[in-house]
Amino acid sequence: MNPVAKVLIIVGVVLVIAGLLWQVGGRFFPLGRLPGDIVVEKPGFRFYFPIVTCIVISVVLSLISYLFRLFK
C-alpha cells in the first residue's frame, strides 16, 4: 500500500477516535469551557477564544508525541 494512503487512513482513524472521545469526555472534562477561555458576549455578537483549552490540548499532544518518540 502507498505510504501516503497509510498515513491518511491512520489520521482519519485518529480523528474519528478523537471526535468520539470529545463527545463522551465532554460530559466529564469541559474542554472549551475552561476557566481562562475568553468569551465576549454583546447583543448580536459573540466572540469566543478558547486559549486555555488550546494550551491544554497542546500540552497533551506534546506529551503523547514525546512518549511515541521515547518508545520508538
Side-chain angles (χ1 to χ4, degrees), residues 7-59:
V7 170
L8 288 174
I9 291 170
I10 291 171
V11 168
V13 169
V14 168
L15 286 175
V16 168
I17 292 171
L20 291 173
L21 288 175
W22 192 285
Q23 288 294 328
V24 174
R27 296 182 187 131
F28 307 110
F29 187 67
L31 283 178
R33 296 181 307 268
L34 295 175
D37 289 345
I38 298 170
V39 179
V40 177
E41 292 184 19
K42 294 185 179 183
F45 176 76
R46 183 174 183 197
F47 175 74
Y48 180 71
F49 186 67
I51 186 73
V52 175
T53 300
C54 292
I55 292 170
V56 168
I57 291 172
S58 176
V59 168

